[in-house]
Amino acid sequence: MNNRVNPGFKKELQKFGMSEQWNECFHCGNCTAICPLSENEVLFPRKGIRVIQMGLKDKLASYVEPWMCYYCGECSETCPRDANPGELMMTLRRYLTSVYDWTGMSRKFYTSKWWELSYILFFALLVIVLFLIYLPLRPDAYLMVNESGGVMLNHLVAGISGDQFIRIIEFGDWAMAIIVAFILVSNILNMFYKIILSNKSFKVPFYAYFTEFWRLIYNFVTQSKFSKCDDKNYWVGHMLLMTGYTTMFILVVVALPAFQTEKVVDWYNWQRLLGYYATFGILFFLTVVTIGRIRKKDIKLQYSHSTDWLFIIMLGLTTITGIVLHIFRLAGLPAATYYMYILHLAILVPMIMVEVPFSKWSHLAYRPFAIYFSRLKQVALSKQYSTGLAPAI
Amino acid sequence: MEEPRIGVYVCWCGTNIEKVVDVAEVAKAMEKLPNVVLSKNYKYMCSDPGQDLIIKDIKENNLNRIVVSACSPRIHELTFRKTLEKAGLNPYLLQMANIREHVSWVHDDKKAATDKAKSLVAAAVTRVNHHEELQKRTVDINPATLIIGGGIAGLTAALEIADAGKKVFLLEKTNHLGGVVAGIDQSFPYFDSAQQIIQQFIKRIKQHENVEVLLNTKAENITGYVGNFKMPLPMLGIDAELEFGNIIVATGLKPYDPSAIREYGYGYLPNVITSLEFEKMLMSGKIETKDGKTPEDILIIHCVGSRNKNCHEYCSRTCCMTALKFATQLRSALPKANIYQAYADMRSFGKDCEELYLKASQKDIMFLMYDQQKYLPEIRRAPNREKCEMLVEIEEILSGDMVEVPADLVILMTAMEAHEDVKDVARTVGVSLCGNDFFIERHPKLDPVATTTDGVFIAGTCQAPKDIPDSVAQAKAAAARVLSSIDVGQVEIEVTTAFTNEDLCCGCQTCISVCPYKAIGFNEENRVSVVNEILCKGCGTCSSACPTGAIRTRHFTDKQIMSQIEGMLSMTKRKSKKTELEV
Ligand SMILES: Cc1cc2nc3c(=O)[nH]c(=O)nc-3n(C[C@H](O)[C@H](O)[C@H](O)COP(=O)(O)OP(=O)(O)OC[C@H]3O[C@@H](n4cnc5c(N)ncnc54)[C@H](O)[C@@H]3O)c2cc1C
Ligand code: SF4
Ligand code: SF4
Ligand code: SF4
Ligand code: SF4
Ligand code: SF4
């Protein structure tokens, strides 16, 4: 590991969000002491600040700690120098996402708005063009209304049957999922290499890989770490978003034929109820966060990176087009439903392609693995420290 | 001699003494001792009513000896001597017993403490029986002053005294005036030109009619005493001599030689330089490596030779600020350079110094903390493939990481230490040095410019490392002390001095070899030792060394000391037979 100091590094980091405010830090350690999640051998956020001040890039790449932080903001409130360590952890998560991503796309998106916008626009246009050319609206679409008055969504395309349409969309879903998963998995392996394998300061005992894996699953299900944070409202919002988003994901990818049905099922059927729950969860989160980011009262929402806004806008547009689509469908407007469906996908697809492997959503994958890796590190280090050396806070 | 009539006063010192010592009992026990006329206890003896009580008793009861048993004589002996004078008694007919610092503050067993207090007071009582009247003496002050050292402190003091119309001899051992400041470019914290300040001083000094500057001259063979010192000037002729009444020592400090610290490679790594060498670079206006290249990475290392058991344990006090000054100057001279500071605690006390630290810290300087006791940074030449000249390994303690710093130029903030010849100066002016070879002031807080030798003052860094404002302030204070003594024109000298009984003296000269103040001379004609009572401090060393008992110290005669011991033991005699036997 290269341990050469690098004064220029802070400029690089600035592009991922925070200005040099963290440089106010005088290393009192209050933040680490107050942090409800910092614990032996995985101490943060103070140490991370020091690593950045010195510009130790390699050390930072192997730094798992930012993923342990759920941004409760307590450290930033406690810091006597207003160095805002909580926001720094957020900035570091963005930075680390770009470090793990071997394709380099993540870095481009975080450091340049224009890159991200062009990329999104490209996928949006691709979706629109593909639909208009290969899946055009059938001329007699106005007939595709069933007896209950709802639009028969799967029968709007010319030349193919409803079953075929579902299969095509399903194929697209899976193709997208596989690409995204491939990138994510390879990035996680890269992350594993950087945090565990390349770090010579500790050696993970082999058995720990198994014992800690079970712990990871337990933690993931109970979210016991997160519940240590004092701000329970934030936790609720976060949970609503996560469950809503996951529900939606399962509905449209895994259970598409059951979700996107021919008939408009009655409102109390499970598909619709789940869909409503997911929509509500996402909308609720979006409203709270948008208001928060505009008001800037809550410390963790004071600083917004351009990618934060883009994420909110994309998710918001996806949700709104989804709702409008649903209304058109219920109202029995086949052409409007069709075009809204395309628009919905033209926003959803680029959002998934950007956010899941390269940006905000990727932390859904990185975080549980980071917890796993940090447990490995903890086990390794506590074994080492039991022989004498104690770490600084 | 008239019969002693002794008054004993036991002080409560509020509750300070009273809560541990039974003062009434102590006073009562003293009543039984021979020649004690009265024995009292009172809440505050040093207060006006306390002193008035003594005066009244002296007058009403015809007392001629007083014992005050209270705090340390260092605090109130002078007070009570004055009380005796007011009552018309010779002030040396007083004896104090210290039952606060020696008893109540260090014991908590009331019974034992009271017994101990009784012993101490009894000792004072038996001693005071043998006190003699001693007369005060004064000598005239020669209005000329010798200043040793032509740095900013010496120059300031010289101007201050010369401007008041008094003669000054300014000794400087090198061939130029100005000291360390003459080698400094700008001064912290305001970045004003040090050259302008010092050159102006030098110019004025050289033109001043009251100042005689003696370059290439060291202070040697000074003799005499306060008011009447002499120093021979052999290079100006056999009989050439300076005569002066006061001395100000302002010999300053010199930079530590860092080649002794292996890790820094000073001496063989060409681009490792000291702070003073860097000042020179700043004055020349060219910051460059030995090969004439503009440095891209510059490391400043603090505490070089300071705060480390292997060099000096003290803090040199100005190097942190000088380092911040350097970093600021570097930043404006080389806006693109990477500047690093390896420090071990940042010491930025002093007016506007913390502010300078704050400003410097906003100038994109990387501060790296190291442990100056345990892990010094290690500098080595960079391999050829590297762009930089050197690589420095630092154990950074805020992160706990070993980091590597590239450097083209390394500036060592060297310690300031005493000159090699400081012991000679100290000996010739008769002032002691502390463990770090800094001159010791008479009192660290209450008398920081005087020394224990009357007529000798200290100013500037020779007393301890300090910056220019502090050096100047101390120099002005020393000058003021000298001027006031010239103004009074006379000085009271010690009366508790040694004297020889020439009939008993065998001429062995033991006393001469032990006297730390060089106060004893030898009369070749009569072959006896003679005490110069103006130089003598009354330390008593000679009296205890003299094999014949010929030399004695006033106020500390054998009789007085022995009676004191007897008195001390008299209180325990009855209890312990053993003590009696041993005595
Ligand atoms: C690199 C550096 C930068 C500094 N920068 C600043 C700054 O920016 N601002 C600030 O406030 N302070 C600064 N200082 C501190 C400042 O230099 C001192 O406070 C100041 O020099 C003290 O003056 P002085 O007269 O006591 O001693 P000195 O300057 O040391 O002068 C003593 C003089 O006495 C002479 N001498 C010594 N022994 C004898 C002898 N036996 N007989 C006759 N003469 C003798 C010496 O030759 C010398 O000329 C700096 C110090 C260093 C080393
Ligand atoms: S509380 Fe603030 S100043 Fe203290 S270590 Fe944390 S970030 Fe630094
Ligand atoms: S924001 Fe909360 S969890 Fe994150 S480092 Fe600060 S205190 Fe810890
Ligand atoms: S002033 Fe600073 S650099 Fe100098 S010895 Fe003291 S702590 Fe070290
Ligand atoms: S030690 Fe005593 S005997 Fe010897 S020279 Fe001195 S005074 Fe005389
Ligand atoms: S009493 Fe002390 S100072 Fe005086 S002559 Fe004797 S040894 Fe010297």
Side-chain angles (χ1 to χ4, degrees), chain B residues 237-285:
Chain B
I238 310 169
D239 288 338
E241 216 176 35
L242 296 177
E243 293 189 348
F244 41 91
N246 287 289
I247 301 173
I248 298 177
V249 182
T251 49
L253 296 175
K254 72 170 180 38
Y256 168 84
D257 176 6
S259 47
I261 305 177
R262 178 193 56 82
E263 287 88 341
Y264 295 155
Y266 179 76
Y268 67 88
L269 289 173
N271 290 307
V272 176
I273 62 173
T274 67
S275 45
L276 267 173
E277 286 165 345
F278 185 65
E279 292 278 4
K280 210 184 268 173
M281 218 181 242
L282 286 168
M283 279 200 270
S284 76

Side-chain angles (χ1 to χ4, degrees), chain B residues 46 53 106 109 122 188 198 209 298-299 325 332 336 347 409 433 476 481 485 492 522 556:
Chain B
C46 58
L53 177 67
V106 289
D109 178 341
F188 65 75
I198 200 82
E209 53 176 4
I298 300 152
L299 170 66
K325 171 179 82 172
S332 33
K336 290 217 174 62
R347 301 197 162 169
L409 188 66
L433 300 172
K476 297 213 169 192
R481 291 289 293 272
S485 96
E492 226 173 70
F522 194 64
F556 292 92

